[in-house]
Amino acid sequence: MSLTGTPFFVTTIVVAALAVLVPLFLWHRVGGPAVVRGAVRLFMVVVAQATAVLVVFVAVNNANGLYDTWGDLLGTDSHVAAAPNLGADGTGGRRIGEEPRIRQAFTPAADPDLGTGVRVTQLTGRVSGAEGEVYVWLPPQYDEPAYRNKDFPVVELLPGHPGSARDWFTNLDVTEQLAPLMTGGEVKPFILVAPRTALLAGGQDTGCANVPGIVNADTWLSVDVRKMVTDTFRALTGPDGWAVAGISAGAHCSAKLAVEHPDRYRAAIALSGYNDPAAESDSITASDPVLRRETDPLWMLTHAKHPPRTSLYLTGQPGDGYEDGLALRAAAKAPTQVWVRRTGGGHLNVVWKPLVPRVFRWLSGQVSGVQTVKPPATELRNTGPGKAEPRTTGLRGAATGHTG
């Protein structure tokens, strides 16, 4: 039985109820010596307590998407078949555009909590040596006759750690929030792609980095998943049509990927992220001084040979991402642009979920693709290269008309 979803949750509730009712009926009927009676009654109390804790755990796990499978929970599943040294650009010297096409078969996602239209596939990364599920949602315009010859912009959605590839769909209701905005022309019709990021056994966080001999998480996300999407769907292939968005540890990843690969991503959304990988205690990159430094987006930005042509939108509250965002904004030089928004309320889905429409309106002005966006009534004031601040009126995205 799946760890997530309604059937297992209902089962745990029924078992917990029985674990309480059984002692009520049997408490005074337990026979035998006093020691035996005491041991049996203690066992029934422990079982009742354990099943109650299990119900709470399953409810919290379902609400926050911490663990997707039993293997993720127990730390027994590895999604890495190989981890060769792929060099600085993570391609191993391959010309990705000349590699054989990857036309992946997708099936409708069975879980109704994911919402309508979400489909899933199991992808084996040809370059990275990683493998895992990838969820995809196509915008309302994708199957409309007027758009049959159009290529669409793409956003990769990354969860926190621990976290599930399903998080943006189940906990942030990203499709339910964006579908009407796309239909109404307030947000571009993005293809949403949510790949597995929990690749290592033992519950370790990859930091979306390449670590030879351990994992090529960067290449999995920025090369393998990206190529599969452009080969399978009508998606833009150039960096102007691609962005990445993440929460918590996924926010660290999104900023890192966008700064490191401006040839692959034009923009990133980072909700309550951090710069220093050591902010995540399970990070494999934080344990190595060189990796810790070189996978820090701030270090990347300040040591880049040329300022990357990318745009970042970062949110956080004091002590939880806000100062990291300000540091990136202060370090940014044109053409890098950084927007920072201060939030409050904690490191929680209920804080990030209401931000989805706002940040995707902003994103609509940063990437190329299908032209459907109407200028919203809100806007951003750019105070100079890398120093844009939101006005109290909100956001405006200056969309382009490139269709790829």
Side-chain angles (χ1 to χ4, degrees), residues 334-354:
T336 307
Q337 296 189 80
V338 177
W339 284 257
V340 178
R341 178 178 176 81
R342 180 171 175 169
T343 61
H347 197 82
L348 300 167
N349 290 322
V350 294
V351 173
W352 303 322
K353 181 177 175 179

Side-chain angles (χ1 to χ4, degrees), residues 138-163:
L138 302 175
Q141 291 88 345
Y142 191 86
D143 291 322
E144 293 181 5
Y147 296 90
R148 65 165 61 100
N149 297 318
K150 302 295 184 181
D151 293 334
F152 289 78
V154 183
V155 184
E156 280 189 80
L157 305 174
L158 307 181
H161 176 82

Side-chain angles (χ1 to χ4, degrees), residues 79-366:
H79 294 263
V80 179
N85 190 333
L86 298 175
D89 69 348
T91 65
R94 302 188 190 190
R95 296 187 177 184
I96 303 303
E98 299 176 4
E99 290 286 307
R101 294 178 68 85
I102 304 171
R103 291 193 177 276
Q104 197 78 5
F106 279 78
T107 58
D111 188 349
D113 292 338
L114 288 167
T116 304
V118 178
R119 57 192 73 186
V120 64
T121 191
Q122 293 292 323
L123 175 66
T124 298
R126 295 181 182 177
V127 183
S128 66
E131 56 190 16
E133 68 274 19
V134 180
Y135 294 89
V136 169
W137 179 84
L138 302 175
Q141 291 88 345
Y142 191 86
D143 291 322
E144 293 181 5
Y147 296 90
R148 65 165 61 100
N149 297 318
K150 302 295 184 181
D151 293 334
F152 289 78
V154 183
V155 184
E156 280 189 80
L157 305 174
L158 307 181
H161 176 82
S164 162
R166 302 146 32 102
D167 282 0
W168 280 77
F169 299 114
T170 58
N171 296 324
L172 302 188
D173 293 335
V174 64
T175 61
E176 292 183 14
Q177 294 198 73
L178 293 185
L181 299 180
M182 292 179 183
T183 301
E186 295 183 52
V187 168
K188 281 196 171 185
F190 293 106
I191 297 174
L192 303 181
V193 180
R196 166 176 280 272
T197 57
L199 299 173
L200 295 174
Q204 294 177 296
D205 173 36
T206 68
C208 299
N210 282 358
V211 185
I214 299 178
V215 66
N216 286 320
D218 184 321
T219 298
W220 160 251
L221 295 170
S222 69
V223 176
D224 285 329
V225 171
R226 198 174 182 282
K227 177 171 173 52
M228 180 275 291
V229 171
T230 58
D231 286 351
T232 306
F233 302 100
R234 297 197 314 275
L236 291 168
T237 58
D240 286 345
W242 276 75
V244 59
I247 56 176
S248 189
H252 164 76
C253 286
S254 64
K256 170 194 172 293
L257 291 172
V259 171
E260 186 175 14
H261 301 300
D263 60 326
R264 300 170 197 174
Y265 303 99
R266 183 59 63 231
I269 295 167
L271 307 181
S272 300
Y274 48 84
N275 294 329
D276 185 352
E280 172 50 63
S281 60
D282 291 330
S283 172
I284 63 171
T285 59
S287 60
D288 181 288
V290 175
L291 277 175
R292 177 179 175 180
R293 179 179 69 246
E294 295 182 353
T295 57
D296 183 326
L298 180 60
W299 187 92
M300 290 179 175
L301 202 58
T302 56
H303 288 78
K305 291 182 179 179
H306 306 285
R309 187 187 164 209
T310 194
S311 298
L312 309 178
Y313 189 99
L314 308 116
T315 75
Q317 61 184 0
D320 184 27
Y322 181 62
E323 293 84 356
D324 296 72
L326 293 179
L328 286 169
R329 192 179 71 182
K333 298 178 181 179
T336 307
Q337 296 189 80
V338 177
W339 284 257
V340 178
R341 178 178 176 81
R342 180 171 175 169
T343 61
H347 197 82
L348 300 167
N349 290 322
V350 294
V351 173
W352 303 322
K353 181 177 175 179
L355 295 174
V356 168
R358 175 185 293 270
V359 296
F360 273 83
R361 287 190 183 101
W362 169 85
L363 188 59
S364 296
Q366 308 305 314

